[in-house]
Amino acid sequence: MGAILRTAYYLGVDAVAISKRTSAPLSPVALKAAAGAAEAVRLFSVDSPSAFVHNSKQYGWKVWAAIAPVSSLRRSEPRTSSRQVTNISTSSLKRRQSPLVHHPCLLMLGGEGAGLIGPLQKAADNNVYIEPRKSGPDVGVDSLNVSVAAGLLCDTFLRKPRNEDLVGNKTYDQNDD
């Protein structure tokens, strides 16, 4: 938890909501890992993550669920919802405008191993995943540590175009003729 808070603060995240029941506590070890960020970033302690997500959506927030890479998802788990949820990779998301340009966003991260619980994942407007770039033999590594994933995802969401003018849906570099 401390590493996530430190990364969130460093990258400019506005606030972090932490489930009271299913998240690691802010222990002295976590606070030390946060290196002061726990005192600098706005923290919300959430009794019911499902209610928090529901209320956020009612106020216009878009909800993104961090999921395992699509290639490692079990295809035998069909979605029970009739609405369509898009799976978007971070590399695909980097080629678009940040979702934050259009709506405030809530990025949900689950626990290592199990990920997000079903009701939270089903509440998402979109799923986002970090595609692996590994090569070589399969040694069983199919996901990232949650704090590393949090850093990569926050960087993707908070990335601002550099030396670019956004025109429509296409990005033009100022140096292009």
Side-chain angles (χ1 to χ4, degrees):
M1 183 57 63
I4 292 172
L5 294 176
R6 182 176 181 167
T7 300
Y9 173 74
Y10 187 83
L11 293 174
V13 169
D14 291 327
V16 175
I18 304 169
S19 171
K20 287 183 178 179
R21 295 176 296 160
T22 58
S23 294
L26 285 177
S27 66
V29 172
L31 292 173
K32 183 176 181 181
E39 291 81 19
V41 70
R42 187 178 318 169
L43 299 176
F44 294 100
S45 184
V46 177
D47 286 320
S48 170
S50 294
F52 180 77
V53 168
H54 176 75
N55 293 337
S56 297
K57 289 178 81 163
Q58 286 190 320
Y59 284 101
W61 289 66
K62 294 297 179 189
V63 178
W64 291 74
I67 62 170
V70 171
S71 62
S72 66
L73 291 176
R74 287 178 283 188
R75 302 196 192 287
S76 61
E77 297 178 11
R79 302 225 22 155
T80 57
S81 172
S82 60
R83 63 186 184 82
Q84 184 66 26
V85 176
T86 306
N87 292 333
I88 302 172
S89 70
T90 51
S91 62
S92 174
L93 199 55
K94 285 178 185 177
R95 292 189 296 270
R96 305 174 182 194
Q97 284 183 322
S98 167
L100 292 167
V101 170
H102 304 289
H103 303 281
C105 293
L106 192 85
L107 175 62
M108 299 185 297
L109 302 167
E112 293 180 24
L116 287 168
I117 61 171
L120 288 177
Q121 188 171 347
K122 289 176 185 171
D125 298 303
N126 294 290
N127 294 328
V128 62
Y129 64 93
I130 301 166
E131 61 283 291
R133 295 186 205 139
K134 60 187 176 185
S135 61
D138 184 3
V139 295
V141 176
D142 63 353
S143 65
L144 294 170
N145 169 288
V146 70
S147 66
V148 172
L152 292 170
L153 291 165
C154 287
D155 181 64
T156 298
F157 273 73
L158 297 166
R159 183 176 299 241
K160 299 202 178 7
R162 188 180 61 182
N163 296 327
E164 297 173 335
D165 293 323
L166 297 174
V167 179
N169 290 332
K170 189 168 181 181
T171 304
Y172 295 94
D173 192 329
Q174 290 178 345
N175 295 326
D176 289 346
D177 290 330

